[in-house]
Amino acid sequence: METSQLHQHKLITNDQKNHVFAQNALQDELDICTDFFISVAFVTQSGLCFLKTHFADLARKGIRGRLMTSNYLGFNNPDVFRSLLEIENIDVRIVEKEGFHVKGYLFEQNGYHSLIIGSSNLTANALKKNIEWNVRLTSLENGEVLRESKKELERMWHEALPLTEKWVERYSKNWQSLTRDKLVTDVQDEKAIYSVARPNVMQEKALENLANLRSEGKNKGLVISATGTGKTYLSAFDVQQVNPSKMLFIVHREQILKSAIKTFKMVIGGADEDFGILSGNSKDITAKYLFATVQTISKPQILNLFSKNDFDYILIDEVHKAGAASYHKVIDYFDPKFLMGMTATPERTDIFNIFELFDYNIAYEIRLQEALEEDLLCPFHYFGVTDYEKDGVIIEETTNFENLVAEERVKFIIEKIQYYGVSRHKIRGLVFCSRKEEAKKLSEIFNNRGFYTAFLSGEDSISKREEVVERLENGELDYIFTVDIFNEGIDIPSVNQIIMLRNTQSSIIFIQQLGRGLRKHGSKDYVTIIDFIGNYKNNYMIPMALSGDMSYNKDSLRKGTFDTSYITGISSINFEAIAKERIYKAIDDVKLDSMKSIKDAYAKLKIRLNRVPMLVDFLEQKSIDPYLIVSGKVSNIKTYYDFLLKNDDAIGKISELENKYLMIISREFLTGVRKQDVLLLSEMVKGREFNRKEVKVLFQSYGLDAQERTIDSVLNTLNLNFFTGLLAETYSGGEIIEAGQNIQLSVGMKKALLRNSYFKLLLEDLLSASFIKSESYDKSRVFTLYKKYRRRDVIRLLNWDKQQIDQNIGGYIRKDDEFAIFITLKKGAEFSGAMMAYEDELLSPNLLKWYTKAPRTMSSPEVKAILDYYISGLNMHIFVKKSDDEGTDFYYLGKVEPQLNSIEEFHKPTNDGKTKSVVEMHLKFLEAVDYKLYRYLTNIE
């Protein structure tokens, strides 16, 4: 029997560098199992969080499982047993025996069993962080081992006690917390995170950079730091190292002042009278360290109490708000020796340029992913869950208010938030709603259901907000319902659950709201984020915000949804199956390459750089994929020059021919699919000329394929002989090189470079960007696994001398010993190329069912070539896309070999009621397809 990736035994470890974790192996097994049996000595709530969406999806399919754990050493917190009782499709039993230390995960799959056994308990550290060894075995290869394992598990199960509320209550009374306390010392309180004597890693680097700025004579500095990473502590450390005679700290909300003063006192020390507040209720204007609200200090009568150089050092918290008139009054009035600004989100939706305000002096920048890597934030578990659906109607932007607060939806929401739970079972939550009336009504309904909640809006006074927040922190409230007032500028470190009941309007707001729970605190081990995903057109922003990928590349967004292993540390990102499909649909439907999207990204980058961005800047600053600009999908934009011209930012003129050169190079090379083309052209632009031998040496010096046929293909592309049909017409006259005995730039290209420095600047930038893009491709292979390719890219990379028109290729093309197959899995009812019901199908990560074109028989040339596969040495390459909604390019899944005994000729009905002959066969992948991509392509959830 064939052994596929699903059936192979393998070693399972945690590999942080390559983002491969034991949790992924368990998730993959759960997603396709028909039954499961988990037996582990130790379980944590955070470990359960890795699997909860998968348990929920199994419950939706009617699949139950068993979990056996223990009271050994009192490791398991009573809270984890309460969490297990919330999972309705798992039966749980407890082994009350000393020395129970089993770690095994048994899964019943379609036609076989698999067992993961080794050192990993069901804890977050064991499944993602620790050095652990586990081995995966299957009944197809290790049948006797699995039979014995299953028999032993069944024996222990029958001797174990069922988990009940009564058992948990008894265990809680006897449970000793000493061991557990030791496990959480790193998050006991803020002093454990921000030592008065010792700044954290981020703060040390930022302090050094700030000191360097001042030594260079700069009097301004901007710190960009994710929420919860200790910006206030950083500012206090910097004030300590500067030691100003007087300091001013400006905030936009009065409730922040007291906590800021507390932080500064811890760091700087000194008498209480050195610290003063300037607000509506206090006027301590003589204090050495003055903490002021912008609303108060911006008043003319207050400003006039100070001289312009009264303060040596001024700090502005949440400085992205500095576009407001009140901030301008203060900033324009004072003349400090140093002005420091702090923000988590410098990119704004308004036109204010924060970077310009600080003379583009970015002292330090650390975003969410880096902060998690440095262990500066509380770990989080994000759950993208399916919002309420009734009679096929899903919550969306235009849903009536009555449906948002309907009895059934409220019940649905409560069930979900109880299922996904909170750290240590004591809720301190924030609920972000789409509308003010929704937040108010839901708060009322939750109170009637036994919760303790409050509603806050922008209309509430500062004192009321402070009073409600204090009640939440004291444990008097479970939730605060609101719309947008807690996006930023509020510090509630004990928050352990964020509920999102609204559409994601922007990635900035999404991260701000998620960030409300990311401060470390002794009362929690992690924060739970529950995002109710309805039928929203902006759902594509969710993977964008979580991954930090702002390329607007649809394939990157899809990958950020089906493969979330990019998240660092013991945090996790989890989507229920239906929620994923809603995100995929939003990605398919949105037009990310619109002029508006591109102009917005361009404007933000221009503001940040204080100059016209080049294509390389988009890549280096992790902004929009520059290929979107030049792909030809935006009206009348063929090159970056066209875009700059349209935005009045072109600093020179280029000719029509020069623009054609840029268009050809942009369209063909900016994808980065083959480095050789870009490398050779880059060297020639520097003034070099080559013969074939020198080209070969150049390619070899970079470790690139330098076969004669590859050199021919590169030259054939650069002199445009490769292109046919409409592309040949479009590119006509734009030959880039002349490839005779002497390989040199074309006459037109040489003249353009000599006479137009602006054209040369644009060309060199384009080639540099293309080179950077090519770095993501595997230079040891013709095609890089799981990258996407256009049909003409494939033909060019196979070194064929002429491009084939897409319509002529259809589903596949063969030449000599190369055979490229292009498959659209979801062809749709109007699949024009079929004329009949094609049923190409990925049967497993190892196997593809494939049909030839029609009419074809066993005597057709391509079928005969396949039948002679083991004699002819045919290379069969598979390129797949999920549907036409994904565009015109295909994922490369690798090489296959035909299963000769599966090749059969059939007669299939056509759309016009007739029949045509077609040949069906199974193709086996030489290297099993990545399982996450396989699941995405096949919709197996």
Side-chain angles (χ1 to χ4, degrees):
M1 183 180 289
E2 164 203 318
T3 300
S4 79
Q5 183 186 17
L6 294 178
H7 308 144
Q8 291 170 352
H9 55 262
K10 61 182 178 182
L11 180 68
I12 296 169
T13 61
N14 293 319
D15 183 346
Q16 301 289 332
K17 182 179 178 182
N18 294 307
H19 296 274
V20 176
F21 309 108
Q23 74 164 83
N24 304 131
L26 292 183
Q27 290 167 344
D28 291 347
E29 297 285 350
L30 280 170
D31 287 336
I32 58 171
C33 76
T34 56
D35 189 21
F36 60 92
F37 192 156
I38 296 171
S39 179
V40 285
F42 304 144
V43 187
T44 62
Q45 284 184 292
S46 192
L48 271 182
C49 284
F50 287 149
L51 306 181
K52 277 190 173 182
T53 57
H54 304 267
F55 292 147
D57 288 335
L58 288 173
R60 187 168 48 84
K61 293 187 282 188
I63 294 173
R64 297 186 62 83
R66 291 180 285 176
L67 187 147
M68 185 162 58
T69 186
S70 73
N71 60 354
Y72 182 46
L73 299 178
F75 177 93
N76 290 342
N77 191 304
D79 289 331
V80 80
F81 293 119
R82 297 186 181 101
S83 293
L84 284 167
L85 288 171
E86 295 285 349
I87 306 174
E88 293 182 356
N89 63 322
I90 298 183
D91 299 314
V92 183
R93 291 196 178 184
I94 309 298
V95 176
E96 289 190 327
K97 290 184 178 179
E98 287 297 308
F100 179 80
H101 218 239
V102 176
K103 296 112 177 176
Y105 304 81
L106 179 66
F107 304 92
E108 184 176 335
Q109 308 292 12
N110 222 346
Y112 67 99
H113 283 78
S114 58
L115 173 68
I116 294 176
I117 191 166
S119 64
S120 289
N121 278 295
L122 188 47
T123 70
N125 283 322
L127 297 183
K128 200 172 181 192
K129 191 175 182 181
N130 292 348
I131 299 171
E132 306 269 355
W133 275 32
N134 301 281
V135 65
R136 178 183 186 272
L137 308 171
T138 73
S139 58
L140 297 176
E141 296 179 333
N142 311 94
E144 187 59 32
V145 174
L146 266 80
R147 276 191 292 276
E148 288 297 318
S149 301
K150 190 172 189 300
K151 183 179 176 182
E152 182 64 13
L153 286 171
E154 293 289 354
R155 183 190 65 76
M156 288 190 290
W157 177 261
H158 289 296
E159 293 177 0
L161 299 174
L163 178 67
T164 62
E165 294 276 7
K166 192 172 181 179
W167 187 94
V168 177
E169 187 179 339
R170 187 174 73 248
Y171 178 78
S172 297
K173 289 178 181 177
N174 299 326
W175 185 64
Q176 298 298 313
S177 62
L178 179 62
T179 303
R180 188 62 185 154
D181 286 344
K182 288 180 180 177
L183 292 174
V184 297
T185 52
D186 59 331
V187 291
Q188 277 297 309
D189 52 41
E190 291 187 347
K191 291 181 184 178
I193 308 149
Y194 308 119
S195 165
V196 174
R198 232 179 18 249
N200 65 36
V201 176
M202 179 275 287
Q203 292 158 352
E204 286 179 348
K205 184 64 177 174
L207 289 169
E208 181 185 343
N209 292 354
L210 285 163
N212 290 339
L213 274 178
R214 288 187 287 265
S215 68
E216 294 167 4
K218 307 288 177 60
N219 63 356
K220 295 178 182 179
L222 176 65
V223 171
I224 302 166
S225 181
T227 299
T229 51
K231 292 190 293 293
T232 307
Y233 275 86
L234 167 63
S235 63
F237 285 128
D238 197 45
V239 168
Q240 184 183 48
Q241 75 175 353
V242 171
N243 192 23
S245 56
K246 283 192 79 174
M247 177 216 77
L248 175 64
F249 189 111
I250 301 172
V251 301
H252 70 288
R253 286 188 179 154
E254 189 169 349
Q255 64 260 47
I256 305 172
L257 293 177
K258 292 176 184 176
S259 63
I261 288 176
K262 181 182 175 183
T263 299
F264 271 68
K265 282 183 177 179
M266 288 173 63
V267 172
I268 297 173
D272 287 347
E273 56 266 26
D274 287 346
F275 300 85
I277 290 178
L278 177 57
S279 67
N281 302 315
S282 182
K283 303 289 187 295
D284 302 327
I285 63 172
T286 60
K288 179 177 181 179
Y289 305 111
L290 183 60
F291 296 78
T293 62
V294 69
Q295 295 88 348
T296 301
I297 198 168
S298 62
K299 293 176 180 177
Q301 65 270 30
I302 301 295
L303 272 178
N304 290 331
L305 296 175
F306 302 95
S307 67
K308 289 185 176 293
N309 55 5
D310 225 328
F311 300 101
D312 301 334
Y313 194 123
I314 294 179
L315 295 122
I316 303 177
D317 192 29
E318 307 288 1
V319 74
H320 52 266
K321 295 182 177 293
S326 55
Y327 283 91
H328 279 293
K329 288 178 185 176
V330 178
I331 293 167
D332 293 343
Y333 181 83
F334 287 111
D335 184 23
K337 291 180 181 176
F338 193 74
L339 175 67
M340 177 172 162
M342 301 179 293
T343 180
T345 54
E347 299 86 1
R348 306 306 300 160
T349 52
D350 55 32
I351 59 172
F352 177 64
N353 189 342
I354 300 165
F355 301 99
E356 181 181 34
L357 178 63
F358 288 88
D359 298 336
Y360 301 90
N361 299 326
I362 300 175
Y364 191 73
E365 180 170 6
I366 184 167
R367 299 298 180 108
L368 178 63
Q369 292 283 6
E370 293 93 338
L372 287 168
E373 285 176 19
E374 296 291 348
D375 195 28
L376 300 175
L377 300 175
C378 178
F380 70 87
H381 294 290
Y382 168 92
F383 300 102
V385 307
T386 309
D387 206 335
Y388 182 66
E389 178 178 348
K390 182 180 180 182
D391 300 329
V393 178
I394 307 165
I395 297 295
E396 56 185 16
E397 289 93 338
T398 58
T399 295
N400 292 332
F401 169 71
E402 293 77 14
N403 292 331
L404 293 176
V405 297
E407 177 85 11
E408 296 92 339
R409 188 187 187 224
V410 173
K411 181 184 176 185
F412 179 85
I413 290 169
I414 291 173
E415 286 175 354
K416 288 286 187 183
I417 62 179
Q418 288 181 335
Y419 176 81
Y420 288 110
V422 295
S423 174
R424 306 192 196 177
H425 270 268
K426 175 56 186 171
I427 301 168
R428 287 183 177 87
L430 296 178
V431 185
F432 292 98
C433 300
S434 59
R435 308 171 197 177
K436 189 166 61 176
E437 61 269 26
E438 176 195 8
K440 184 176 182 180
K441 184 65 176 176
L442 285 176
S443 176
E444 293 174 5
I445 297 173
F446 266 61
N447 288 336
N448 292 335
R449 294 291 190 94
F451 292 90
Y452 297 93
T453 80
F455 159 69
L456 284 178
S457 75
E459 297 169 3
D460 291 308
S461 65
I462 295 295
S463 60
K464 182 178 179 182
R465 295 184 200 183
E466 289 179 337
E467 180 262 324
V468 170
V469 167
E470 187 176 352
R471 287 176 63 200
L472 184 77
E473 289 198 286
N474 291 340
E476 298 171 33
L477 291 177
D478 300 316
Y479 293 108
I480 299 174
F481 286 78
T482 184
V483 180
D484 284 325
I485 64 168
F486 286 161
N487 289 358
E488 56 188 351
I490 187 71
D491 192 12
I492 317 176
S494 61
V495 164
N496 59 10
Q497 191 182 68
I498 306 288
I499 299 174
M500 298 177 174
L501 292 174
R502 81 294 167 273
N503 181 19
T504 301
Q505 293 294 338
S506 78
S507 56
I508 293 172
I509 293 173
F510 183 96
I511 292 300
Q512 286 174 341
Q513 293 179 348
L514 182 148
R516 294 308 99 207
L518 293 184
R519 293 192 187 279
K520 289 188 174 184
H521 193 263
S523 67
K524 64 187 181 184
D525 302 315
Y526 60 89
V527 61
T528 305
I529 316 293
I530 308 175
D531 190 359
F532 286 81
I533 299 174
N535 192 26
Y536 301 128
K537 63 185 178 185
N538 284 347
N539 282 340
Y540 71 89
M541 289 184 177
I542 296 172
M544 187 183 294
L546 289 169
S547 66
D549 184 345
M550 304 305 293
S551 69
Y552 278 57
N553 182 297
K554 287 192 175 188
D555 294 321
S556 296
L557 296 181
R558 291 185 186 102
K559 189 174 189 298
T561 305
F562 70 72
D563 181 4
T564 60
S565 58
Y566 52 79
I567 199 68
T568 310
I570 56 172
S571 296
S572 68
I573 296 170
N574 312 272
F575 293 101
E576 292 181 356
I578 295 173
K580 278 186 194 175
E581 289 304 317
R582 289 179 183 168
I583 294 174
Y584 294 146
K585 184 179 186 306
I587 294 170
D588 290 342
D589 291 346
V590 70
K591 187 170 173 53
L592 294 177
D593 53 6
S594 67
M595 178 58 84
K596 183 183 183 305
S597 298
I598 294 170
K599 287 183 77 169
D600 286 349
Y602 173 82
K604 287 176 183 175
L605 192 54
K606 185 179 178 183
I607 285 172
R608 183 184 180 93
L609 297 174
N610 192 30
R611 60 172 171 80
V612 173
M614 305 301 286
L615 292 175
V616 166
D617 293 317
F618 288 94
L619 297 173
E620 291 179 346
Q621 298 295 329
K622 298 180 180 177
S623 181
I624 194 169
D625 183 348
Y627 183 73
L628 294 178
I629 305 173
V630 302
S631 63
K633 294 180 180 178
V634 181
S635 178
N636 298 321
I637 302 296
K638 300 175 183 176
T639 64
Y640 191 46
Y641 172 74
D642 288 339
F643 177 79
L644 295 175
L645 207 59
K646 201 174 187 71
N647 288 277
D648 298 321
D649 274 340
I651 60 173
K653 295 280 187 183
I654 68 174
S655 69
E656 188 176 331
L657 176 60
E658 290 163 347
N659 205 29
K660 179 174 278 193
Y661 290 140
L662 294 179
M663 175 192 68
I664 295 168
I665 296 167
S666 298
R667 300 274 178 88
E668 300 305 324
F669 304 143
L670 189 51
T671 56
V673 296
R674 186 166 67 182
K675 185 174 287 185
Q676 288 93 327
D677 308 81
V678 182
L679 176 61
L680 178 59
L681 183 53
S682 297
E683 291 299 311
M684 295 173 78
V685 167
K686 293 174 185 175
R688 289 186 64 183
E689 294 185 359
F690 291 83
N691 57 39
R692 290 182 67 89
K693 185 177 180 181
E694 289 167 336
V695 172
K696 185 169 187 172
V697 170
L698 175 67
F699 290 171
Q700 288 174 335
S701 69
Y702 279 79
L704 303 172
D705 175 23
Q707 297 177 75
E708 290 300 321
R709 56 187 291 189
T710 302
I711 295 171
D712 285 339
S713 176
V714 170
L715 300 180
N716 210 28
T717 304
L718 289 168
N719 67 17
L720 306 187
N721 285 339
F722 170 74
F723 300 99
T724 59
L726 184 59
L727 269 182
E729 292 178 28
T730 304
Y731 293 171
S732 178
E735 292 80 5
I736 299 165
I737 70 164
E738 294 174 359
Q741 196 168 7
N742 191 37
I743 301 163
Q744 58 187 327
L745 293 175
S746 66
V747 173
M749 178 65 88
K750 283 181 180 177
K751 287 181 179 178
L753 288 169
L754 285 171
R755 72 187 175 202
N756 193 337
S757 59
Y758 185 49
F759 166 71
K760 185 176 183 182
L761 174 71
L762 294 172
L763 176 60
E764 289 175 338
D765 170 53
L766 173 56
L767 292 172
S768 296
S770 303
F771 200 87
I772 292 171
K773 290 284 288 286
S774 72
E775 292 292 321
S776 66
Y777 289 82
D778 184 349
K779 64 184 180 183
S780 69
R781 298 175 181 242
V782 177
F783 302 111
T784 301
L785 282 173
Y786 318 131
K787 284 287 193 178
K788 291 191 98 174
Y789 297 87
R790 301 168 297 189
R791 285 182 171 93
R792 72 175 183 270
D793 293 329
V794 172
I795 292 167
R796 181 157 63 91
L797 269 60
L798 288 173
N799 298 325
W800 295 353
D801 57 355
K802 287 290 181 185
Q803 171 210 358
Q804 301 293 315
I805 309 303
D806 285 2
Q807 293 88 328
N808 296 338
I809 296 173
Y812 55 86
I813 188 169
R814 179 178 72 93
K815 184 181 179 185
D816 300 328
D817 58 351
E818 301 289 355
F819 200 132
I821 299 173
F822 300 90
I823 296 171
T824 304
L825 292 173
K826 289 185 180 178
K827 297 179 173 67
E830 302 300 319
F831 183 59
S832 59
M835 296 286 294
M836 56 190 298
Y838 276 82
E839 299 162 2
D840 298 332
E841 183 182 359
L842 278 170
L843 299 174
S844 77
N846 268 66
L847 203 62
L848 167 70
K849 181 170 73 173
W850 176 68
Y851 290 87
T852 62
K853 299 173 186 176
R856 295 295 188 274
T857 69
M858 299 293 275
S859 301
S860 297
E862 63 266 49
V863 178
K864 290 176 72 175
I866 294 170
L867 288 166
D868 290 338
Y869 172 84
Y870 292 102
I871 300 170
S872 64
L874 194 66
N875 290 309
M876 300 182 70
H877 304 273
I878 302 298
F879 299 85
V880 170
K881 63 179 175 179
K882 190 172 185 177
S883 70
D884 285 332
D885 291 333
E886 288 197 342
T888 59
D889 43 2
F890 298 76
Y891 292 101
Y892 178 59
L893 300 191
K895 288 185 181 182
V896 291
E897 61 181 5
Q899 306 290 279
L900 297 183
N901 60 358
S902 72
I903 301 176
E904 254 185 292
E905 182 181 324
F906 289 97
H907 280 77
K908 290 272 191 178
T910 62
N911 293 338
D912 58 7
K914 299 178 182 178
T915 61
K916 285 189 178 180
S917 58
V918 66
V919 177
E920 176 202 310
M921 66 190 72
H922 286 181
L923 303 173
K924 182 183 176 184
F925 289 96
L926 302 186
E927 189 173 339
V929 176
D930 175 78
Y931 186 62
K932 287 185 174 64
L933 179 58
Y934 163 73
R935 281 182 55 206
Y936 165 69
L937 291 171
T938 56
N939 271 349
I940 292 179
E941 296 294 356

